[in-house]
Amino acid sequence: MNPMLKKLVDQDFMTESQGEYLEEAITRKESIIVSGHKGWGIRPLMATLMAVAKINSKAVQVKGFDDLKNDEAEYFLIPGINDINFEKLIAQAMAIPNSAFISIKDPEHPYSIFKLLKQVFKENKDSSKVYQVLECAKVDDMPKLVKITQITLDETGKLIKVDFEG
């Protein structure tokens, strides 16, 4: 396992099977959305996942819409950017063929993942992408990764959600 992911396992933020699953998801170039509130470990988790993606693929740090025009990118790394239409940025990242992204969903950057997935599918009919939604929370006052849900779309655009059991 990547040492940065292992560190989160050692800190009891996530289980070893969650760490392995996320490392494999990045290897498969799946999109990852880290969800939760500040203080729940979302930023360190997102930074770790972005660092792992940088090692294994052509990753582009996104600072604005122009960065999404990079045709070489396999992974778009989208931190919480203020003073931008963040929902529109995520929708555009979802619509780019043969690429994935890692980003955040928090109270400062709210959007409906399911609404955007359906909206983008209506535009491009692409059901090939896989999304991992990571939910963080505080358990006994300690930040933890509490749930991983894989989301795909079938050929009609219906959302298929599968919770990781591991």
Side-chain angles (χ1 to χ4, degrees):
M1 181 184 305
N2 177 285
M4 292 176 283
L5 285 170
K6 180 81 172 100
K7 183 177 177 188
L8 293 177
V9 171
D10 293 343
Q11 293 170 346
D12 203 27
F13 177 78
M14 70 171 76
T15 65
E16 192 160 339
S17 59
Q18 287 173 325
E20 290 168 355
Y21 180 81
L22 291 173
E23 187 169 34
E24 290 165 12
I26 291 171
T27 302
R28 291 189 300 265
K29 311 283 188 280
E30 296 174 358
S31 290
I32 299 173
I33 300 168
V34 180
S35 161
H37 290 267
K38 273 187 180 171
W40 291 4
I42 59 173
R43 294 192 187 277
L45 175 58
M46 185 177 65
T48 299
L49 296 171
M50 288 180 172
V52 173
K54 284 180 188 176
I55 294 167
N56 298 317
S57 59
K58 292 178 185 158
V60 171
Q61 184 80 32
V62 175
K63 296 180 181 90
F65 288 96
D66 286 347
D67 294 317
L68 296 178
K69 295 176 183 165
N70 186 321
D71 294 338
E72 301 291 308
E74 296 173 308
Y75 254 115
F76 291 100
L77 309 179
I78 309 172
I81 304 168
N82 297 324
D83 304 323
I84 196 168
N85 184 336
F86 198 72
E87 181 177 43
K88 183 178 177 186
L89 186 70
I90 295 297
Q92 285 189 13
M94 286 177 170
I96 299 169
N98 305 314
S99 69
F101 68 89
I102 296 174
S103 193
I104 195 166
K105 180 182 184 290
D106 64 6
E108 293 173 26
H109 305 92
Y111 56 93
S112 169
I113 297 167
F114 304 138
K115 181 184 101 179
L116 290 182
L117 287 172
K118 289 178 180 182
Q119 173 188 316
V120 169
F121 180 81
K122 280 182 185 172
E123 293 167 9
N124 67 12
K125 301 292 186 226
D126 182 6
S127 62
S128 66
K129 293 189 177 187
V130 178
Y131 299 87
Q132 302 290 343
V133 178
L134 284 46
E135 295 178 41
C136 298
K138 278 205 168 174
V139 178
D140 297 326
D141 216 31
M142 294 296 296
K144 293 206 183 285
L145 174 58
V146 295
K147 187 175 181 185
I148 301 173
T149 304
Q150 177 182 287
I151 302 169
T152 54
L153 293 112
D154 70 12
E155 61 282 346
T156 66
K158 181 177 181 262
L159 296 173
I160 302 162
K161 299 178 237 172
V162 180
D163 290 339
F164 173 69
E165 307 287 338

